[in-house]
Amino acid sequence: MEIKTIAVTYTRKFNLGDYESLELTCSLWGQIDPKEEDAQGTTQFLFQQAKDSVKEAAIPVIKASNYQMNKAKAYKHSATNQFDDLDNF
């Protein structure tokens, strides 16, 4: 079976508190030449691009949400390793 088109969708839902939530979705499509390109590698690349796009769109909203920032601070204090939680969502 030859794969010519690859579609990837990444969705992430954030609880903003006060019964509000934000759901961000990014869908990417790519066409490949099955004789020259690796379908698995292309899928991984598209998935990472979709995830990065959702992350980029979410960061300003999360930083503006008191609920999410308090949640991130609580998680950061409970973790043994100190790191930026927004980089690992």
Side-chain angles (χ1 to χ4, degrees):
M1 176 172 87
E2 285 188 2
I3 298 173
K4 296 181 181 181
T5 303
I6 297 172
V8 173
T9 300
Y10 182 81
T11 300
R12 184 76 193 260
K13 190 170 195 173
F14 299 94
N15 181 357
L16 301 176
D18 295 328
Y19 302 101
E20 294 181 313
S21 64
L22 170 69
E23 185 173 67
L24 297 170
T25 301
C26 180
S27 295
L28 298 175
W29 294 66
Q31 292 188 338
I32 63 168
D33 181 358
K35 297 174 185 166
E36 294 180 15
E37 297 175 291
D38 174 33
Q40 182 66 26
T42 303
T43 302
Q44 289 176 353
F45 174 77
L46 290 174
F47 178 80
Q48 190 61 47
Q49 292 296 312
K51 186 175 178 180
D52 290 345
S53 294
V54 167
K55 179 180 176 181
E56 185 179 329
I59 287 177
V61 177
I62 290 172
K63 286 184 178 181
S65 168
N66 288 331
Y67 177 80
Q68 280 290 328
M69 290 310 291
N70 289 337
K71 186 176 167 182
K73 287 177 187 175
Y75 180 76
K76 190 172 185 176
H77 289 299
S78 68
T80 56
N81 294 335
Q82 298 296 320
F83 55 85
D84 185 7
D85 294 71
L86 296 176
D87 288 335
N88 296 307
F89 78 85

